[in-house]
Structure formats: structure tokens, C-alpha cells
Amino acid sequence: MTTTTTSQILRHTTAFISETLSETELLPRSDKITLKPQKIAFESLETAISTATPNVRFSSLRITKQLLLSHPESPFSSFLLSLLYGLENQAINAAISLLNIFHSDPSLARSEIAPALFEDLFLVHLIPVHEWFNEQRSTICSSSTSTSDYSCEFSLVLPCTKLLSNMSEGQASELKELESTYEKVVDENCRLLVKYFKEVLENKDENKLINLPPFTLRNSEKVDTFEYSEDEKIEKEDLVLQNGRYNPIWAEGERSVEFYSRSGSSKSKSQTFYPQRVSPEIFTNQKSFRRLIESPSPSMDSELDSSLEDNSAYYSSSSESEAKVQEKNKRTAVLEPRQSQIQKQKEKQPISAESSSVTGSLIADFDNLHGGGKHTPPKDFVCPITSNIFDDPVTLETGQTYERRAILEWMDRGNSTCPITRQKLHSTQLPKTNYVLKRLIASWQEHNPISVPNQYENPHSEVEPIMKPIRPSTSPNSVIGKATIDGTISELRHAITNLCMSEVLEESEMAVIQIERFWHEAYMDVDIKTTISRSPVINGFMEILFNSVDPHVLKATIFLLSEMGSTDKDVIQTLTRVDYDVECIVALFKKGLVEAVVLIYLLRPSTVSLADMDMVNSLIKVIKKKEEDLLKMCLKPKTASVLLLGQILGSSEESIGSSIANTVISEKAIESIVGSLEAEWAEERIATVGILLRCMQEDGKCRNTIADKAELAPVLECFMGAGDGERFEIVHFLSELIKLNRRTFIEQVLHIIKDEGSFNTMHTLLVYLQNALQDQCPVVAGLLLQLDLLVEPRKMSIYREEAMDTLISCLRNSEFPTAQIEAAETIVSLQGRFSASGKPLTRAFLLKRTGLDKSYQTLMRMEQLRNIPREFEETTQWEEEKAADDWERKMAFVLVSHEFGLLFEALAEGLKSRYAELRSACFVSATWLIHMLSILPDTGIRGAARVCLLKHFISIFKSAKDTEDKALSLLALNTFIHDPEGLQDLNFCMKEIMKGLRELKKSLPLAFEILKVFSKGHDSSSQDFWNHKELPQVDCSENGEVLSIVFFKDKIFSGHSDGIIKVWTGRGSILHLMQEVREHTKAVTSLAIFQSGERLYSGSLDRKTRVWSVNDDEMHCIQALEMKDQVHNLVVDKSILSYIPQGAGVKVHLSNGGSKLLNSSKYVKCLALVHGKLYCGCHDNSIQEIDLATETLVSIQGGSRKLLGKSNPVNALQVHNGVIYSASSSLDGAAVKIWDSSDYSLLGSLPTMLDVRAMAISSELIYLGGKGGTVEIWDREKHNRVEILQVSTNGKINCMVLDGNEEVLVIGTSDGQIQKRSQQTACLVGEKWMEDLIK
């Protein structure tokens, strides 16, 4: 045997690797990989092969090598390493890795991983092993009595089917044992050859000769070592191997005739074709070959003739596509003649004249049989076991096709392998009939009307008609040769005739039932099925659908049409030729014939016609049905319904799609649809994803159900095989699915997405992100970023870097505004809080942090954890808040830290966009991230944020009309205010900021807090901070005293002692009289506003209380209440009206016109009414609280006797934010006292010497009006006086009121003057104050 050189080894291994890398995909090999690191390495290697980007290629190869070298070696890891080294042009390393496969698992290597390399490199060296086992096999076969008497000098190799059918059980057992021994011997010698090849590759000394190792021959009893002598070596070129590996047992089925001299003195060999054990994927791509037939001597002609019918038709069959089979049919007539092949063989190896003459005669006979007639069936139509045309073909898991009865008999004999490939079958359960092949055979027979003999023993037998069944074999002992027809053809013909021709409906219906029964017969002839599929019969079925009312008949008809339509496109063309036929099928489906949905799907209706069919409700009903309640068909009705519903939803207009999604949700079909995520068919899973995505977009509350019930692993599995649009739909579905209202649940789903599936989800998303469309990138990047953050952020992550770069790139790309908006909204959603409907709560949560939590609380009341059990709300809500806070902090840190705040630049650009959606999303995102800077450790990023965004927030704060926008901008500014450098940058616009803060201080707690920051360290006792500008006053002295004043919206109402009520405009700096009315005959002592009803109540000494409508341009009286007593003071709250009468006590007006007297022992001076509780300030300086619901009375301050003969009444009483303020004279040293309304404890007092007659309270200040016309202004928190106003020199202050914004103070005096004061806060921008504040 010739030795092998390094160049020969490298040539074969390099050719194998190059061919493997040139394949369109390596995925068919990956199904054998079970270890996850190997799967990841495989995916990375595929990326390196397919990418055109050098950086991605280098990174993928590096990852692949690290994974493969860091884990234990296996056949597939060695295979992947060989490909990797091949890509890196390391030929020797690649060759060694390939050889390692043959050393670790020779059987797997030569049968599945590298069969071509085994042929080229190993097989030529294994001739001594083959010859030795040929002798062993011949010895076993020669004892068979069915093979006639053979010459003692020769052993005849007959077809395996003939041998198996004639040998005894003992012989079959010996052959099986021999085969097992052969497998072990080949494995052992492969390992020896691997060591030899490695030595050759590693040999650097060209003069050193490395000899072939001795070969091991093993049988059940002994071990022999065989080594060629020099004169016995055979040139490897003499061995012509065309198709794989040699198996000494099954060689009979592939080699025609082979001669061996027992003495070994002479050999005569034909061209041999060995069956190879390969994977189905590789096997189905191999070329088919004809075999050459030779005869050793004339004495053996009879044996060869008797076996010719088995041997000449021994072809392998596969379930190739229709196009490939038809192409092979075309090639059959132009194959190279056998004589030319024999001539080539003669030129290469001399053959005796005797043998040659016999061979020529046999070849001529063979050509007459197979190549001579144009009606010869293609080899793929013939069973390799029976040599007959297929009647019931079944394709095994190995990719080989056999007649059902033949392979059943093969298995009944105890075999568990494929007869051709010798691969072990994992299941003995045969699959369904290969209807595609059956249809192709029927089509071929229809175009070749002269019937082909079903056996080649009599090629010139009489031609039978097509409907004639195939003749059975003459063998009485084997099922393989038995006939397939049971004498029922005439009955079937009669049924078809009745279906198409009978005018009696009952006969046609019975014909359908009979045909259905025939269809279910296991051995029904393919020609019969082809006949049933013809147009006249299809039209007969349609007539049944139009006229029958029998449910069983209708169901059988639909079943038959569906089964035929699934394998024959002509049936579908016949059905779709007439629109009314389709309408009839749809009508039956909508009436309850659920099986019709399968036929509708097979008809492939257009999108427009699907929408017009209006069958959404019927589809939903089928989806909700249990599978066991539905008929078993070629396609599950539920599968067809899901596919059709997905098609309708995916192609409908927005309004129609919205209506359909709502129907799905309202019919409670979500759970049933979710189950289809686990469907076997990837197309059904993808359609399900589309339906569920649309439902979540329409009504987000269903996502909790989907997330709870969905199995995501099958969805992830179908990602790799999906198209680009379908891949994005899957990613979009997953992105929407994680918008749940429970943070812990979100992270559970994220872990499932990250960890489940057979491939690395993050790596797959990374590769997809690099090739996704611009509009799709933000969604993919957002999901990838969230998966990366499931653990604490690392210093470096390729996934995070790629996701962040993509988001920022999309945000800045103004050429794609849709992608800009999507990127900005993605960043908003990364905050991690969502409502029950899946809407981001980022804006509402930020408003809550400003103190405007009304919108947040309203949202929570509407959607607050609706799908969460009550016990969850009580026990683990704090855990949810903690998880949400942790996530928000991690995400914000990653976003702001990327490239030292590069995101802030992109957000600043977005704030200048002309698209409102983009500006709004960028505003919320920027506000959130700037606010988080005050929580996160300062790493210098705050300065970058200030440079990019400070001016934008100042502009929004100054120009925004919406209070919420002002509040959000103020929240961001608050971060900069606490930063000395930021505060210094605010100096230039402090005046505008202070003005805005004054406007918001009452409604926005954050504004009040910032005002505190500005006033910190400042001397509030001076009048630099507070300044009440005096505005022009009006003189109403002609109407007497101004006894009462109220503010309502932009109007000021004043009550005078002559009974007139005047209405003034509150806008501007000057009071303009709008209206005056005189309906009271005596002094108007009090005015009160009922806010919710927009009503004004006026109390008078004329014993009447009038109710006024003040919503119109002019006020008018709508009701006059008879009080039967003078009204000295009046308070109103909701439906309660209380007043101070002329005498003792206080009265409550009843709805029936009467009144009830309370606190009758006291003479009341002033009143306050808050939340159903009435507070009375009395002449004896006592204060009481009366609960009007229970009429219980509590004394807050006891009364006192007159001091020095002077009374000390409580002149004014106010309740503000749960605090009671009472004002009187300063006789006891404290004119104003402050009480807690909850426990009535004294909180403090104001040490004013003013004789207080009126009082007004704001959120920051207390206004006290005195007897001498003076108004003192006190700080409500510090209890120190900040300002004194001199309003009048001749009169006392009777009444005071503040507007709704607490900026305007209106004062009424006893000398008839009404004065308006505007509150201003000093800018305080002096250098000294600013320096102190910064310090």
C-alpha cells in the first residue's frame, strides 16, 4: 500500500473544509450539538462566515476559539475548530482537528460529520480489512441452499434482498454479528490511521520515511494483525469509489457481481458502489448511480438472470421536492450508456475474454429493460427492497423511502436500522404516507399511459389500464411481494360515478361516505387518489356542499377536499376557479362547519377577500375549542384559524385591526391563542406572536395574562428561521410583553428571554441589531440593554455599548424622524415603571416627585395593580417599590455614564425638533435623567448635563403654559440649584425664576421648597425679600363702610353698609367697577362663595340671605332665603349654611326653611366652617368646635372675664391646613394664637401689639388687619414680622382677602376704601446674598 504524504493529507482536508464553508448554512449539522458552549461557538462561527465586516469577523472568531478551547474536546468541537483554523488559513491545525474527530468517534465522523473525507483519505487504506471480511461473508453466504451450487473457486455476491429471503435465521444472526465486528474493526483501524496521518503531518524531516501501521482484524474469537508486503501493495488509483463507505454485509445490495479467488492468485472487479451511513441531510443531496453488472462465467448466467429483477432495480429513494424529481426524470433518458462505462473499466483493468463476453450480453439485457423504453419509471419511484413502483411510500427519519409493507416486514424480522444507510432508527413507528411522492408517481403514470410492469421479472407483460391495481408478487411467503388491492375497485368506481352523475342527492351523499372510507384505507392505490383529484370529481364534491344538509356528509366532503388540496395544487385551482365555490365554503364555516377553515386556508384567499369574508368570530370559536373535539386532518383547524386570523390582523387597516383585536380580547380568547406559541409549526407561532402583539397594543391589560401563560422558548427557537419582518415582530412582541406593572415580574420574564432557547439570545439580538432597519433599531436596542442589566452593570459590555450607540445614533438622525421618536420613547420606558395597561409611568412618577401627585394618584386608582391579588398589595408592594427603585438607579447610571454624558447632547438636539412627539419624549427623558443625577454619585457628569440642558429647562420653565411642564422643568432645575456652579449659572435669569416660583408656590410644593432654598441664610425680618406693591385704591365712602370682600376667579365682590354689592375686575393693577346691585335693604355684613356650585351667598341685617349666580358676565339673584333673624356673619360649606344671629348662639339653616340653634350659651363674634366642623370665636374670648354631624361641642379656649372693664372678643378666626388661627386684641400680650385642630394644643402665638380686626392666611404669610388702618405681615413658619402696610389713617381694617394665587391682597376699610396690594418677591441678586447662598 502506498504511503501518504503531507501534501496529500492537506489537499483532502483543505478541500473538505473549503466545501463545508461554501455551504449556504451550517445549521443542519448543529442539531447534534447538545452543549450550550458549543451552540454559542457554532452561532459565533456562522456569524464570522456570513459577515462582511472585518471587526465582527475577528470578534466572532476570537469568541469561538475561546469557547472551544476552554471546554473538553468532543467530535463537534473538533469539527468547529477545523473550520475556524480553515478560516484563519492554518491548514495543518485544521487537518489535525479533523483527524481528531476520527480518533474520538470514528463511526460518527465517517457516517455523519465527514463521510467524503473518509472516502478520500481513509478508505483506500482499508482494502485488507475489506478483503478479509469479504471472505468471512462469503463463507457464511456459501452455506445457503437457495443460492444454488457455486464453484469452489468463486463466491458469488447476490442482492441482499434475495439473500435475506433465502437464508436461515442462524445465517442472518452470523451476518449481524459479522457486521458488528466489522464496525469495531473499522473504528480501531481509523484510530491507527489517525495516528499515522498525524505523524506524517508533524514530520519535518523530508528524508524520514513513516510506514503504514499494521491493521487489526477482529472477529468474535481471535485478533489477527495484517500487513501488506511490498509486492502485494495496490495502487490506490485502482480503487474507484463513488459513493461513501463500504459495508461487507450490505455490499450485496450495491455491487452486482464480484469474484474472488480463494487462493488469491487472481482478482476481477467491477466498478463498485458502496452504501454509506450518513445523516439524512447529507444523504438526500448525494447523486444517484446505476450499477454495472458483470458475470463471472457462462455457468452462472441462470443465477444472474434470476436475480436481475432484484439487482437491476435496487435504487435508493428519497423524499426530494417535486421540482428535483421532475428534473431527474428528464435526466433518465440521457444517462451515459453502460457499454461506455464498461469500456472505461476495461481500459483500466484487464478482464478475461470469457468474463467480458458474458458481461456484454448482460449489459445488453439490462439496457433493454431499463434504458430501452421511454416509459421506464424514474428510480425514485421504485422501492429499493421490492423493486416495484411505490404503492404506499413512507420516508424514514434517515431520508430513505420504502414501501410500507416491505419496511414493516424488515422491522418484524428484528431489524432496527435503515436498510440502506444502516443508521439506527429512533422509532419503529412508521410515519404517514409520502403523499408528495405518491402524487408525483401518479402524475408520471398519467403522462405515460402504458403501464409499467410492477416487477421486472417479466418486462414484456401485457399493459394494464391505469385504474388496474398493481399485480401482486408471486412469492407466497413474503408480505413484500403481496398485492395491494383487495377487490374493491369496482365499488369505488361506482361511488365516483354516483358522485358525479347521479341526480339523486342521497346516492351522491352515500358516494361521499364511501370515498371517504376508501381514502382512509392504508393501501389505497395512488392512481385512485389521482382520479379522485380530477376536476369532474371535485365539482361533484362542490355540488354536495351546495345541496347537502347532512353534517356528516358535509364534514366528509370538506375532509376529502382538504386532504387532496394539501398535496395537489390542481385541486385548489379547481376550487378557486369559481368565486361562488369559495363563498359556499366560507358560508358553511360560518354556520358551524369548523373543519372548513382548513380548506379555506389551503385556498390561500387574498387579503382583501379575507377581510370581506367577515369570519373573525367563527375563527375565534375554533381557536377556543379543545383539540380533541376537532377532526384530525392534514392541518389542525386551530392552526388554520390562527394563521388566517394573523393574516387578517396583519393586513387590515388600523380601525379594522383595532376592532378585531378588541373582539379577540372581549371573547376571552387570549389564553387559547397563547397556547399556539408552543405549536410545532413555526409559521403558526409567528402568526400567534402577531396576534398577541396587536392585542397588547390595543388593550395592554391583557399582557399580564400573556406573560403568565406564554411559553417563550418556542418563540425564541423560531427566531433564527424567521424572515426579517417576522424577527422584528418577535422582538417587538417581547419588548411589549415586559411592560408589566410589577417590576419583579418584568425581571422574571427578562430572565426567561435571556436564558431559554437553544441559542444565545443576547448574541443573536446583537447580530440582528447590527443589520436591522433604522426604524427597528430602537426597539431591539432597548430590549438588548434591559437583558444586559439583569446583573449589576459591568465596566465593559459589548451588548450595552452597541445598544447605547444605536439609541443615541437613532436619536440624532434627523433623516429618520420615526426612528428618533421611537428612540426617545424607548429611553422613557427604560425607567421601568408601567401602568396596568403598559403605559410608561415616567412622567406621572416625576410629577409625583414634584408634589403634583394628583394625576399619579388618579392613574393609580384607575389601574392600580388590577391583576394583582389583594394579598399582594398588602404584603409585597414595598418589595415592588424597592425593585423598581433599584432598576431605575441602575438604568439611569448606565444611560448617563455612556461616553461621559453623550446622551445629554442627543436629548438637547431632540428638544429643538419640530416634531412635538419627539420634543415631549426628550423632555421627559431629560428631566428623569437630570433628576437622577441628584441621587447618583457625582462623577462629573452633572457639569456635562448642565452645559447641554440648563438653558433648555430655563426656557421651558419661563414659556410653558402647562403647570405640569413647569413642574417638570423645575424638578430638573432643582438639581442644578443644589449645585454651586449651577446656581451661579441661574443668576442671569433669577428674576424670571422667582416670578414663576411665586406663581407656583401654592399649587406646587417643590416651588415652595425652592423658595426656601433661596431664602436660606437671608434676614427675613428685613423687607428685602417680601415686597407688597401698593396699587391705586378706590373710594366707596358714599356707600358707607366696606364690611365684607370675597375673591372669585378674576372678580372681586364687596359688600357695603348701605346694602349694595359691587363687582370689580381683578385683572390688572387698577380696580374697575363691573356691576353693582342693591337688593338688600340693609347692610351686607358678610359674603361667602360656594366654589363647586359657583354661587355667592350674601348675608344682611335685613334678615335675608340671597343666593347669586356669578358664573355669567353679570351676577343675578336666583334665591332669597328668609332667615328670620339678622345675619351678622355667614359661612358656607357644601350644603351647610351657618350664621351668627342677633342674640346668643349660632344658627344652622335647614333645607326646609327653618333653623337650628347651637352653642346657645355663648355670644359668637366670628365663624369658620371646614369639613363639617364649625369653629366659633366668642365675645368672652372663648373658642369652640362644633361637629355639625353629631352636634358635639369641644372647647378649644376657655373664656375670660373683662379686663379693666374692657371685653376681649375673638375678632377673627381662620383654619388653614389643619391649623386654627384666632385673633383679638393684645391685652394678654398675644393677639394671635395658633392651635392644632387635631388635638387642640397651642402651637404658638404672634407677639403683635396690634388690635386685630381681620385676618388672611397664605401658604407662607399671615396678614393681620388692625384698628388703626395698619396691616402687619408675618412669616407663617418663623413667626416673625416681615412687613407693615399703612392702608388707612382714618379707619380700621374691616375685611381682607387673598386671590387664588396668593399674590393679590384686597383690603376693605371702615372709611369706605378698597385697596389692592400686589405681592412681589425681591430678586435678591446682590453679590453678597448670592455669595452667602453659594457658600
Side-chain angles (χ1 to χ4, degrees), residues 735 738 743 750 754 762 765-766 769 777-791 793-794 797-805 807 826-827 830-831 887 890-896 898 903 928:
S735 299
I738 58 177
R743 185 68 241 172
L750 283 172
K754 182 178 180 181
M762 295 183 66
L765 288 177
L766 177 63
L769 177 61
C777 285
V779 176
V780 184
L783 179 59
L784 184 60
L785 187 59
Q786 292 181 77
L787 293 174
D788 186 68
L789 283 188
L790 286 177
V791 295
R794 294 159 287 178
S797 168
I798 186 175
Y799 307 110
R800 182 171 73 242
E801 297 298 318
E802 188 72 24
M804 285 298 305
D805 287 341
L807 282 175
T826 298
I827 295 172
L830 291 177
Q831 193 257 1
W887 175 265
K890 285 196 299 185
M891 180 59 73
F893 176 77
V894 167
L895 293 175
V896 302
H898 182 72
L903 180 58
W928 168 50

Side-chain angles (χ1 to χ4, degrees), residues 1083-1209:
V1084 179
T1085 57
S1086 57
L1087 296 173
I1089 289 290
F1090 182 40
Q1091 296 282 349
S1092 60
E1094 297 187 340
R1095 297 287 186 265
L1096 172 68
Y1097 288 79
S1098 60
S1100 174
L1101 297 180
D1102 63 1
R1103 298 175 179 263
K1104 290 183 179 179
T1105 295
R1106 294 185 179 272
V1107 184
W1108 308 81
S1109 173
V1110 294
N1111 193 32
D1112 303 326
D1113 292 337
E1114 292 187 355
M1115 64 178 292
H1116 59 277
C1117 182
I1118 59 175
Q1119 188 178 6
L1121 303 176
E1122 291 291 341
M1123 311 306 288
K1124 299 179 183 179
D1125 207 336
Q1126 292 181 346
V1127 178
H1128 289 273
N1129 199 347
L1130 177 72
V1131 290
V1132 178
D1133 183 32
K1134 295 182 181 178
S1135 60
I1136 302 172
L1137 187 154
S1138 300
Y1139 63 95
I1140 299 174
Q1142 177 66 29
V1146 60
K1147 288 189 176 181
V1148 179
H1149 184 76
L1150 303 176
S1151 57
N1152 59 7
S1155 62
K1156 180 183 290 186
L1157 181 65
L1158 302 174
N1159 202 15
S1160 57
S1161 62
K1162 298 288 184 179
Y1163 286 88
V1164 181
K1165 176 70 174 178
C1166 55
L1167 291 176
L1169 179 60
V1170 179
H1171 303 311
K1173 293 186 177 181
L1174 183 64
Y1175 297 89
C1176 304
C1178 303
H1179 281 271
D1180 62 355
N1181 200 242
S1182 64
I1183 302 173
Q1184 296 86 32
E1185 178 194 80
I1186 304 174
D1187 189 334
L1188 296 180
T1190 60
E1191 297 185 8
T1192 56
L1193 184 145
V1194 177
S1195 177
I1196 297 174
Q1197 176 176 273
S1200 61
R1201 297 183 179 181
K1202 294 181 182 180
L1203 298 177
L1204 302 177
K1206 294 183 179 180
S1207 62
N1208 185 23

